Amino acid sequence: MAEGSGRRLMVEVCNAKNLMPKDGQGTASAYAIVDFDGQRRRTKTKSRDLNPQWDETLEFIVHDKDSMTSETLEVNLYNDKRTGKRSTFLGKVKISGSTFVKSGSEAIVYYPLEKRSVFSQIKGELGLKVWYVEEDPPETENAGEEKAESAPPATEEKLPENSQEGEKKEDKAEETQDEEKKEDENKPKEESKEEEKPKEEAPEAAVPPPEVENPPIAQTEKPKPPKEKHVEVQKRADLNVSDHELRSLRGDRSRSAYDLVDRMPFLYVRVVKAKRAKPETGSTVYSKLVIGTHSVKTRSESEGKDWDQVFAFDKEGLNSTSLEISVWSEEVKEGDEKSESSLGTVSFDLQEVPKRVPPDSPLAPQWYTLESETSPANDVMLAVWIGTQADEAFQEAWQSDSGGLIPETRAKVYLSPKLWYLRLTVIQTQDLQLGSEGPEAKARNPELYVKAQLGAQVFKTGRASPGSANPTWNEDLVFVAAEPFEPFLVVTVEDVSNSKTVGHAKVHVSSIERRTDDRTDSKSRWFNLASEDEYTGRIHVRVCLEGGYHVIDEAAHVTSDVRASAKQLAKPPIGLLEVGIRGAANLLPVKTKDGTRGTTDAYVVAKYGPKWVRTRTIMDRFNPRWNEQYTWDVYDPCTVLTIGVFDNGRYKRGEDGKPNRDCRVGKIRVRLSTLDTNRVYVNSYSLTVLLPGGAKRMGEIEIAVRFSCSSWLSLMQAYASPILPRMHYVRPFGPAQQDILRQTAMRIVTARLARSEPALGQEVVQFMLDSDTHVWSMRRSKANWFRVVGCLSRVATLLGWVDGIRTWVHPPTTVLVHVLLSAIVLCPYLVLPTVFMYAFLILLLRFRYRQRVPQNMDPRMSYVDMVSLDELDEEFDGFPTTRPAEVVRIRYDRVRALAGRAQTLLGDMAAQGERLEALFSWRDPRATGLFAVLCLVMSLLFYAVPFRGVVLVAGFYYLRHPRFRDDMPSIPANFFRRLPSFSDQIM
């Protein structure tokens, strides 16, 4: 066996459920064959059991850590032919190597069994645990060989005969069976191919680069060298992200194709080091670069040390055709006085500077002799070339348009913390020590509750008033936990009657069990309660990390990620989202510079899924051009990309030494489902920001978007799948609890990103996540109300059209409706075909008028131009309010007026339903009696008259000419409105 890489893959075959009977007697004798990287293991056979339980752990050697994510683990279930009548296929499961988790994070996952062919009859699911462990490499080759030879043979598939003979026997057994099912006919060839394939291809399998695992359609980037790939793999281990996410990270900035943005020319200067003809000790040297009015210095270093700094000058902003590089020497004399002397100068004509475009190799620096009259024969090593923002050196270079090397102005990629739901079920307590015993203690009836705290989150159970000291709760407390987890979950039992803490216990969060569904309950545990290091009882709880949920950390209507927390439940991406942030135009000044003129230092933040990107800050420009391109993996097309523009204020400190806040300039959203696949959209969107003084248009942003999808089948399948993971439907949270958890998740994400370096400001994250959507806003209420009115207006338009036909407004149309009604009644089988054909023709006609540009947030629909200043002040007011009592009273009266209207509307809607119910409840005996007589007459009429005739007569009566109508309400309408409701019983 080949020598491993120090990593072992562990597969625990737990159990199977609801297998298909295959032995002809209503049962099956199942065993599992597990294949990974040319290795095969087999479990024991569980005789005559459709829900077998194996609990066997199989071990595999990972030959190459880097290629493990591209491997596939395949588990096949068979009915054992030695115990059953025939050996048949029971189903298979394929698991991608990218979903393997490290030891300690494993959890049982139930995979539905897949078919091998179209004719297979398969059902059931298989429970597996898959994880890998890291081991130290063997010290010597002999030790590695001894270890390989001493591996337990029990895990290997025990085949007394060679595999070919075994397959031939299975083929003969299959040929003798009945040919009722085509899967039994196809099994020998398919099984032999599936079993031989890993053995034949494993030695020749090449390790593909990460970019080739799921190549995007429009990707023109060449594969990276092996060294860079190794660095990326190490980065994956540090960031704890999947390979698909890493591919998105690798595709950012200079590594992407940059085909959605314009190439921006930059003049690059790499200054490496200087060399004196006569070295001097105790002095430092630095270099100065001058292009017209642009001047910049390198850091000062002692002689013999390298600067190795790169400077990037925006070529369009240069006001000179020559570059001058000089080297200076600094000496400190007595009294801390510094003296500077020039070591020489070298000049370059920018017209003769060579151009370099990746993937060309970087330009090699070379020695240049410095021209000097006082200090000749000095040299400087440097390289000068003209490139673009796609150059590898651009990321860490000093940039003339971004304020130099200020960290807060650099382009960065951020990752939101991985979030989990932590569920604590408080069951009961025992042996509680509630204090000294005595008459007072016996007379006091303790009221106990349990308080749990995880970081800043605190939740409490209800109060229990037990007759003894062993109360029972059986209540769930749900927290939001972020990786890396808080060290402890603190559980405290408190007595309300005397405001005293009975005791507390600490639960190590790292030791909490993780589960992916509700099919297996986590184990309950007992913890000792202590107060001041004294035993005060014990508490019985059940605690687990829920990996089957998606922790919602953004508003539900603009969500960008719907994946479950558990890595085992991850699905492969269905496409690639590429966004080119090109530039902005006509930005308004946000702050003043030098106290005289307005300026804007703009940057862009784009958020999709857990990945946030921030462009570099373009300093002091109202028409900045970023031309940066980023990529994301797409797992669901019905998600939203959010892009915000901000003015950078954090690179400057205030008088108190703290960084200033970033000002928001505007925000846009793009829903991916509105984009055509493999098409580039380049559009400009208006930036409108809502301020306490009203809505203000801040300018425009130009972006390019492309949504690439390699498989239409997977894209269409996504539309038929549930939006959220399974646990949200089988064990949902209540609306109030879900809102609390979402706000908690938002605060955690905000705090974690604010702790990055450089920080992504709290005001930026909250603006991107729409963290204030739960706050009352008169403007949003109006917008939502008019949205409802807009939907009802379409119904009103339809009813008006029907009423126009009924009242003969256009006689030819009414006559045609009479003909159509007669055709429907006489030929009812044409109803559904006609309806669907009519709908198809309408959709085909409207295809010409479809939206050609992805829609953005609509200021008119948001009613930002029709809101008063008082309503805006109320919207921007904090919670709780900080306004005077008089202002709060006015706003309260206004809300009461709106609530009164809504209350009346709800009462009217409820009254209609109660009147309909009153027909059958005999609340009005006369009305119900009349309705009963009408039902009897109608039943006899329908028995005597064909249904077609009734419909035809009723239709003609409804469409009768206005001269045969009465202006008063109809008898059925009068009868229904007179029915009783419960409105008169409301106090």
Side-chain angles (χ1 to χ4, degrees):
M1 183 178 291
E3 185 177 356
S5 61
R7 178 178 291 181
R8 303 277 173 170
L9 180 67
M10 314 299 293
V11 180
E12 182 178 347
V13 184
C14 301
N15 60 350
K17 296 181 179 180
N18 302 323
L19 298 179
M20 177 71 74
K22 290 288 186 177
D23 60 355
Q25 299 180 4
T27 61
S29 300
Y31 67 91
I33 293 180
V34 187
D35 293 288
F36 176 76
D37 196 12
Q39 307 168 61
R40 172 170 293 182
R41 306 287 186 270
R42 172 179 170 169
T43 65
K44 297 178 181 179
T45 300
K46 295 298 180 180
S47 179
R48 301 184 181 279
D49 190 356
L50 295 179
N51 298 282
Q53 187 84 21
W54 288 285
D55 293 330
E56 294 186 33
T57 302
L58 310 178
E59 181 178 326
F60 298 86
I61 298 175
V62 179
H63 297 102
D64 190 353
K65 295 181 180 180
D66 299 344
S67 63
M68 186 188 75
T69 56
S70 61
E71 297 287 347
T72 300
L73 175 71
E74 183 171 344
V75 184
N76 290 272
L77 290 185
Y78 293 100
N79 176 55
D80 198 333
K81 64 180 180 180
R82 290 172 293 184
T83 57
K85 286 188 175 181
R86 52 182 176 174
S87 178
T88 51
F89 179 71
L90 295 176
K92 67 178 180 179
V93 170
K94 287 187 176 181
I95 307 174
S96 173
S98 61
T99 63
F100 298 164
V101 296
K102 198 171 183 180
S103 177
S105 300
E106 67 273 8
I108 183 172
V109 180
Y110 286 91
Y111 299 92
L113 293 173
E114 302 176 3
K115 295 182 179 181
R116 189 172 55 188
S117 65
V118 180
F119 306 101
S120 300
Q121 295 185 5
I122 301 301
K123 71 174 184 177
E125 52 190 7
L126 178 64
L128 298 173
K129 283 185 181 181
V130 183
W131 71 96
Y132 62 89
V133 294
E134 301 286 358
E135 297 180 353
D136 295 332
E139 297 180 359
T140 62
E141 296 181 358
N142 296 334
E145 295 175 357
E146 292 176 1
K147 184 175 182 180
E149 294 176 357
S150 61
T155 59
E156 295 283 349
E157 180 186 0
K158 187 175 182 181
L159 297 176
E161 302 170 332
N162 58 40
S163 59
Q164 295 180 354
E165 293 178 356
E167 291 172 4
K168 290 179 180 179
K169 289 184 178 181
E170 293 181 2
D171 295 346
K172 293 178 181 180
E174 289 294 326
E175 292 174 358
T176 59
Q177 304 300 325
D178 187 16
E179 298 182 357
E180 296 177 352
K181 302 176 183 178
K182 294 187 178 181
E183 66 167 286
D184 297 332
E185 297 176 2
N186 299 333
K187 178 185 180 299
K189 296 181 181 180
E190 294 178 356
E191 183 179 355
S192 61
K193 290 181 181 179
E194 291 180 2
E195 294 180 356
E196 291 176 1
K197 186 176 181 180
K199 294 184 180 180
E200 294 175 359
E201 296 182 356
E204 301 177 359
V207 180
E211 289 82 356
V212 186
E213 286 183 18
N214 188 11
I217 291 178
Q219 187 172 356
T220 60
E221 180 188 6
K222 295 185 178 181
K224 303 297 182 298
K227 182 177 180 181
E228 185 174 350
K229 175 192 171 185
H230 177 71
V231 173
E232 296 292 344
V233 172
Q234 295 298 325
K235 187 176 181 181
R236 173 178 59 81
D238 295 337
L239 292 177
N240 192 22
V241 295
S242 67
D243 291 316
H244 299 299
E245 292 172 345
L246 268 185
R247 181 162 58 81
S248 295
L249 293 175
R250 283 196 299 269
D252 289 340
R253 301 190 53 73
S254 64
R255 299 189 180 115
S256 66
Y258 271 78
D259 57 342
L260 298 182
V261 296
D262 298 330
R263 298 296 179 97
M264 298 179 62
F266 281 86
L267 173 66
Y268 288 92
V269 181
R270 178 184 292 275
V271 185
V272 183
K273 57 184 176 181
K275 180 174 61 176
R276 271 194 188 189
K278 297 179 180 180
E280 297 182 6
T281 59
S283 62
T284 59
V285 293
Y286 68 88
S287 180
K288 180 187 295 185
L289 288 73
V290 178
I291 307 177
T293 57
H294 293 279
S295 177
V296 62
K297 295 195 307 182
T298 66
R299 59 180 178 270
S300 298
E301 295 285 356
S302 59
E303 289 194 30
K305 290 188 177 182
D306 298 349
W307 296 302
D308 197 15
Q309 287 184 258
V310 183
F311 301 88
F313 297 90
D314 185 5
K315 199 167 183 299
E316 296 181 356
L318 300 180
N319 52 9
S320 177
T321 59
S322 64
L323 165 67
E324 184 179 286
I325 303 175
S326 58
V327 181
W328 297 77
S329 173
E330 286 183 332
E331 294 183 2
V332 180
K333 297 183 177 181
E334 297 180 359
D336 295 335
E337 295 183 359
K338 292 183 179 181
S339 63
E340 297 183 351
S341 60
S342 175
L343 301 182
T345 304
V346 60
S347 299
F348 293 88
D349 186 358
L350 298 185
Q351 304 294 332
E352 299 179 359
V353 174
K355 296 183 179 180
R356 185 248 170 180
V357 178
D360 293 346
S361 300
L363 191 66
Q366 54 184 332
W367 289 102
Y368 293 88
T369 302
L370 297 171
E371 299 179 359
S372 176
E373 298 179 356
T374 59
S375 179
N378 297 322
D379 298 328
V380 62
M381 178 181 282
L382 52 86
V384 182
W385 73 95
I386 293 178
T388 65
Q389 76 273 29
D391 200 296
E392 291 87 349
F394 184 75
Q395 300 183 34
E396 301 301 330
W398 179 95
Q399 300 164 4
S400 61
D401 61 351
S402 299
L405 293 172
I406 303 175
E408 288 79 9
T409 63
R410 314 293 291 180
K412 293 294 179 182
V413 177
Y414 300 85
L415 285 177
S416 297
K418 190 174 182 180
L419 303 177
W420 297 71
Y421 285 136
L422 189 150
R423 186 187 297 273
L424 172 67
T425 304
V426 181
I427 303 175
Q428 63 177 351
T429 55
Q430 287 185 358
D431 304 332
L432 294 183
Q433 309 296 325
L434 300 178
S436 59
E437 297 183 0
E440 297 181 358
K442 292 182 179 180
R444 180 173 57 87
N445 187 18
E447 285 187 309
L448 303 176
Y449 68 89
V450 178
K451 179 179 71 175
Q453 182 174 359
L454 180 67
Q457 304 175 62
V458 179
F459 292 101
K460 301 177 182 179
T461 65
R463 298 181 181 181
S465 300
S468 62
N470 302 319
T472 301
W473 285 274
N474 286 322
E475 291 187 29
D476 286 347
L477 304 178
V478 182
F479 301 82
V480 177
E483 294 184 359
F485 297 120
E486 298 284 343
F488 294 104
L489 170 67
V490 182
V491 182
T492 307
V493 179
E494 297 189 359
D495 187 357
V496 183
S497 58
N498 60 358
S499 301
K500 181 180 179 182
T501 299
V502 178
H504 68 272
K506 292 184 177 181
V507 182
H508 288 272
V509 179
S510 58
S511 65
I512 294 177
E513 179 185 357
R514 305 184 184 189
R515 69 173 188 173
T516 59
D517 50 35
D518 63 332
R519 303 172 191 178
T520 55
D521 291 333
S522 57
K523 298 179 181 179
S524 60
R525 303 163 65 182
W526 286 93
F527 292 93
N528 290 335
L529 298 172
S531 178
E532 299 179 357
D533 297 331
E534 294 184 0
Y535 175 78
T536 58
R538 59 178 188 163
I539 185 170
H540 190 198
V541 299
R542 183 182 294 112
V543 59
C544 67
L545 288 168
E546 298 280 10
Y549 291 95
H550 166 68
V551 181
I552 302 176
D553 59 346
E554 51 194 344
H557 60 283
V558 293
T559 184
S560 61
D561 189 15
V562 292
R563 291 176 293 168
S565 301
K567 186 179 180 181
Q568 297 93 326
L569 300 179
K571 296 181 180 179
I574 62 173
L576 191 71
L577 173 64
E578 299 169 273
V579 179
I581 303 173
R582 299 171 64 88
N586 304 321
L587 296 182
L588 295 182
V590 177
K591 56 191 175 186
T592 58
K593 185 177 182 180
D594 302 329
T596 56
R597 63 183 182 88
T599 183
T600 298
D601 304 325
Y603 69 93
V604 180
V605 175
K607 194 262 182 196
Y608 183 79
K611 176 181 166 186
W612 301 61
V613 298
R614 188 182 72 176
T615 66
R616 69 187 189 279
T617 301
I618 305 297
M619 308 293 288
D620 195 16
R621 292 188 188 177
F622 298 126
N623 297 282
R625 305 298 297 178
W626 294 282
N627 283 308
E628 299 184 20
Q629 185 169 334
Y630 299 91
T631 61
W632 286 267
D633 286 309
V634 178
Y635 295 87
D636 193 300
C638 301
T639 46
V640 177
L641 166 72
T642 304
I643 299 176
V645 183
F646 301 89
D647 173 77
N648 197 333
R650 288 183 167 266
Y651 74 95
K652 289 185 177 180
R653 301 278 175 173
E655 297 180 356
D656 54 355
K658 296 182 180 179
N660 298 323
R661 293 172 61 89
D662 294 342
C663 297
R664 53 191 184 185
V665 177
K667 178 172 59 176
I668 66 172
R669 298 193 190 103
V670 178
R671 184 170 290 275
L672 269 61
S673 59
T674 62
L675 304 177
D676 292 339
T677 55
N678 305 321
R679 175 182 173 185
V680 178
Y681 294 86
V682 181
N683 298 288
S684 294
Y685 298 92
S686 175
L687 295 172
T688 303
V689 64
L690 189 63
L691 302 173
K696 191 174 184 180
R697 183 171 179 177
M698 304 296 293
E700 295 180 347
I701 182 174
E702 182 184 3
I703 64 170
V705 182
R706 176 170 56 207
F707 173 37
S708 305
C709 180
S710 58
S711 173
W712 266 91
L713 182 62
S714 60
L715 183 61
M716 295 298 102
Q717 186 179 2
Y719 278 90
S721 303
I723 297 179
L724 294 173
R726 176 178 177 273
M727 285 292 289
H728 286 271
Y729 303 98
V730 299
R731 197 169 182 181
F733 295 112
Q737 186 180 22
Q738 185 66 68
D739 187 64
I740 294 174
L741 293 175
R742 181 171 64 249
Q743 296 300 322
T744 303
M746 287 182 180
R747 288 194 294 268
I748 292 176
V749 172
T750 302
R752 289 292 179 90
L753 293 179
R755 285 161 45 187
S756 304
E757 186 60 37
L760 198 60
Q762 177 182 359
E763 63 280 4
V764 175
V765 179
Q766 290 180 350
F767 184 59
M768 296 290 290
L769 291 179
D770 291 320
S771 59
D772 59 345
T773 53
H774 67 290
V775 180
W776 161 259
S777 169
M778 180 70 71
R779 176 186 58 83
R780 290 197 190 98
S781 300
K782 288 181 180 179
N784 291 334
W785 169 254
F786 285 110
R787 286 170 59 197
V788 175
V789 171
C791 295
L792 295 178
S793 64
R794 294 176 177 86
V795 179
T797 302
L798 179 62
L799 295 177
W801 178 72
V802 172
D803 188 69
I805 294 175
R806 176 174 174 265
T807 55
W808 293 71
V809 173
H810 190 249
T813 304
T814 306
V815 173
L816 289 177
V817 171
H818 279 80
V819 176
L820 180 62
L821 177 62
S822 302
I824 290 176
V825 171
L826 298 178
C827 305
Y829 54 87
L830 296 178
V831 174
L832 291 180
T834 304
V835 170
F836 284 108
M837 179 58 68
Y838 184 65
F840 170 74
L841 293 177
I842 291 178
L843 295 176
L844 200 63
L845 179 63
R846 292 189 176 184
F847 179 77
R848 298 175 54 190
Y849 307 101
R850 70 189 186 279
Q851 292 288 340
R852 304 299 178 95
V853 178
Q855 292 183 331
N856 181 30
M857 293 182 294
D858 191 352
R860 294 180 59 187
M861 184 179 294
S862 304
Y863 284 87
V864 295
D865 298 329
M866 303 172 60
V867 61
S868 64
L869 294 179
D870 181 60
E871 293 174 352
L872 280 175
D873 182 70
E874 180 183 12
E875 183 172 345
F876 282 91
D877 187 13
F879 188 85
T881 181
T882 57
R883 299 298 183 263
E886 295 78 8
V887 176
V888 175
R889 175 174 294 180
I890 295 174
R891 294 175 180 174
Y892 175 65
D893 291 339
R894 182 172 58 198
V895 173
R896 289 178 61 192
L898 291 177
R901 298 177 187 174
Q903 171 183 297
T904 304
L905 179 61
L906 291 176
D908 293 340
M909 295 176 60
Q912 307 306 319
E914 292 166 353
R915 289 191 179 105
L916 184 62
E917 183 184 2
L919 280 175
F920 302 90
S921 62
W922 292 90
R923 292 186 58 226
D924 187 341
R926 287 166 293 278
T928 307
L930 291 174
F931 182 67
V933 173
L934 177 63
C935 290
L936 177 61
V937 173
M938 295 302 295
S939 65
L940 297 177
L941 178 64
F942 284 128
Y943 277 124
V945 181
F947 181 74
R948 295 181 180 181
V950 175
V951 174
L952 189 62
V953 171
F956 284 171
Y957 177 77
Y958 180 76
L959 298 173
R960 67 191 184 276
H961 199 272
R963 70 176 59 183
F964 302 110
R965 299 179 186 275
D966 191 3
D967 295 335
M968 300 301 292
S970 62
I971 296 177
N974 294 331
F975 180 79
F976 184 78
R977 290 172 184 172
R978 290 179 177 276
L979 292 173
S981 67
F982 294 117
S983 300
D984 55 344
Q985 300 183 21
I986 302 297
M987 297 182 63

